[in-house]
Amino acid sequence: MVGGGPAGLAAARAAAVAGARTVVLERARHPRYKTCGGGLLGTSYRAVEPHLDVPVRDRVHAVTFTLDGRRRIRRESAQPLLAMVVREEFDAALAKAAADAGVEVSERSQVRAVHEANDRVVLRRADGGEVAARVVVGADGSGSVTARYVGVRCDQVDLGLEVELPAGEVLRRRWAGLVAIDWGPIPGSYGWVFPKGDRLTVGVIASRGLGEQTRRYLRDFVDRLGLTGIEPVHDTGHLTRCREVGSPLRRGRVLVAGDAAGLLEPWTREGISFALRSGALAGTAAARAARVDTPGEVEDALDGYRIDVERTLGAEMAAGRRILRAFERHPAAFHGALATPPGWRVFARFCRGETSLVEPLSSSPVAATLAALTRF
C-alpha cells in the first residue's frame, strides 16, 4: 500500500485480515498534521470503531446554519451527529490498528515511481530502494504518483482554506458539541466551524480559480464569528479533486483508493468515509487477487473492486453532483429546507450514517424539486 492515511491504512488492514502479507509505505511519520475538518459521519465511525479506540475530541449534537451570515437557524439532536477528531491522532490510531492486524508500516518511505514487470508491481522509493508486490493499492493523495500511473481524471477541483485556532475555556464552552455551517457567497461554497476541545477548525471551500474571493470569504467568516485576532496554530489550504465519471480505478495490478482515486462526495466534499470504504474494498480485492494464480482470476478479483466502487460510492457521488448543481444556483432553497422538520431529518440521518444522499433523491418529489432548481 502506498500512503498511510485512512484509505491506505483501511486497505492494509483489510488485506492483512484476509491473510495477505501487507506493507504500507508512508512518506511521513505518524502522528503528522493533515489539513482536514475532522468530522466523522456515522458511516466512518462505525467502519473503524470495532477495531480501534477512536480518539474523539467532541461529539456534535447541535448545528447552526446561516446563509452568508444571515438567517440563522439552530437545530439539535438527542443522538450525536458527528464525532470530531484531529487527523494526526486519528491517522495514528488507524496505523496502530493496522500494525496490530499484522501490517508492516514503513514510515519515511516516499514512493517516486511505479512500474509493472513479470506479474509484479515495482515501487521505487526516494532513497533508491525498491519494493515489489503482487498488487499495490495507491492511497497517496490526489495528483500522486499512483494516481498519475493509473491515469485518474478529475472534473471538479475545489480550494479549501482552514485555520486551526487555539480554544481557551470561553471558546470551549461556547462551541462544545456545536457545529456552524454557513452557505457562502460564492456559488457552491460553504464555511464551517468544527469543535475539537482545545482547538477550533474554521474553514471554507469553493471552486478552484477563485482564490482571492475564497480568501476574502474566510476572512469575513472568521470576523463574523468574533474570532479575528486569534493567532492560528495552523493556516493552510488544499485542493480537493472529484473523479470524472468513468475515470479509471485501476491499471494492471495497481488500484487507487480515497483521494488518489478522486473519491469524495461532490457537494459536501466529505472524503474520510469514502477513503475508509474504498480502502477496505481495495484491500479485500488485493488480498483476493494475491491468492489466485491465473491471469483471468487476478483480473476478475481486481475488476471486482471497480464494480463495487461504482455500485456504492459511484452512486453516492452521482447524487452529490445533482445536489451540488442545484445548490450552486439556489443555496437559499437549501437553507430554507433545513428550517423544515423533513429537511432537518434528512440532514441529521445523513450525518449519523443512517442514509446516504442516494435515498432522498429516490423520492419523486425531491428529484423533481432538484431538477427544477437546476434548470432555473
Side-chain angles (χ1 to χ4, degrees):
M1 313 298 166
V2 182
L9 293 168
R13 189 181 185 281
V17 168
R21 181 171 178 266
T22 309
V23 178
V24 171
L25 302 180
E26 162 59 34
R27 66 179 180 179
R29 184 181 296 280
H30 290 291
R32 77 281 194 273
Y33 178 76
K34 169 71 175 177
T35 302
C36 180
L40 298 187
L41 299 173
T43 305
S44 301
Y45 188 85
R46 286 192 294 274
V48 298
E49 190 269 337
H51 53 265
L52 64 87
D53 183 15
V54 184
V56 176
R57 288 289 193 99
D58 201 347
R59 296 186 187 275
V60 173
H61 288 264
V63 186
T64 64
F65 299 96
T66 51
L67 182 63
D68 195 18
R70 299 170 286 109
R71 295 170 55 183
R72 185 176 183 273
I73 300 168
R74 181 182 172 109
R75 291 289 178 263
E76 298 186 4
S77 170
Q79 299 174 282
L81 298 165
L82 299 170
M84 301 308 309
V85 298
V86 173
R87 276 292 300 276
E88 54 261 42
E89 297 173 352
F90 182 63
D91 289 8
L94 290 173
K96 181 180 184 304
D100 290 345
V103 175
E104 178 187 343
V105 180
S106 177
E107 299 180 323
R108 306 285 191 194
S109 296
Q110 183 172 5
V111 173
R112 288 283 179 82
V114 183
H115 72 274
E116 295 183 65
N118 301 321
D119 297 330
R120 292 290 186 273
V121 183
V122 180
L123 304 173
R124 181 168 56 80
R125 300 184 312 205
D127 63 5
E130 292 186 341
V131 176
R134 294 197 65 183
V135 180
V136 164
V137 175
D140 44 345
S142 60
S144 63
V145 170
T146 59
R148 291 195 300 273
Y149 179 80
V150 170
V152 175
R153 303 186 304 274
C154 295
D155 59 3
Q156 177 185 326
V157 184
D158 297 291
L159 171 64
L161 302 176
E162 281 188 347
V163 289
E164 294 269 10
L165 303 178
E169 188 61 31
V170 173
L171 283 181
R172 288 193 202 192
R173 288 199 304 268
R174 174 186 170 189
W175 289 100
L178 172 65
V179 156
I181 303 290
D182 179 70
W183 311 119
I186 306 167
S189 68
Y190 76 97
W192 62 88
V193 181
F194 287 162
K196 300 174 184 176
D198 64 352
R199 68 178 82 172
L200 293 176
T201 297
V202 183
V204 301
I205 195 162
S207 179
R208 183 180 67 171
L210 303 171
E212 183 50 44
Q213 294 178 58
T214 307
R215 286 188 287 273
R216 185 184 310 117
Y217 176 29
L218 178 60
R219 289 194 299 269
D220 292 345
F221 187 42
V222 169
D223 186 56
R224 288 200 305 261
L225 293 164
L227 301 172
T228 301
I230 301 175
E231 186 67 27
V233 178
H234 297 283
D235 184 346
T236 58
H238 67 287
L239 295 177
T240 64
R241 294 179 170 90
C242 288
R243 72 186 287 258
E244 179 183 307
V245 174
S247 172
L249 293 165
R250 59 170 287 233
R251 174 182 171 186
R253 291 173 176 259
V254 179
L255 311 177
V256 283
D259 288 346
L263 295 171
L264 71 157
E265 197 282 294
W267 175 41
T268 64
R269 290 80 156 185
E270 190 276 326
I272 296 178
S273 73
F274 280 71
L276 292 169
R277 289 181 288 165
S278 64
L281 290 172
T284 300
R288 188 182 305 124
R291 289 196 301 267
V292 297
D293 296 317
T294 69
E297 290 175 315
V298 171
E299 181 71 16
D300 288 346
L302 296 181
D303 202 47
Y305 169 66
R306 177 191 60 80
I307 294 169
D308 287 342
V309 168
E310 294 288 10
R311 177 177 54 84
T312 56
L313 305 183
E316 292 179 32
M317 292 183 71
R321 287 189 183 94
R322 291 174 62 190
I323 294 172
L324 177 62
R325 286 196 294 269
F327 174 70
E328 287 174 335
R329 291 167 172 78
H330 300 283
F334 282 77
H335 187 68
L338 289 164
T340 68
W344 167 244
R345 281 197 298 270
V346 170
F347 183 86
R349 292 187 66 228
F350 169 72
C351 289
R352 292 195 294 261
E354 298 167 359
T355 185
S356 72
L357 295 179
V358 176
E359 183 180 330
L361 268 61
S362 65
S363 162
S364 295
V366 173
T369 300
L370 273 182
L373 291 174
T374 302
R375 284 196 299 271
F376 300 107

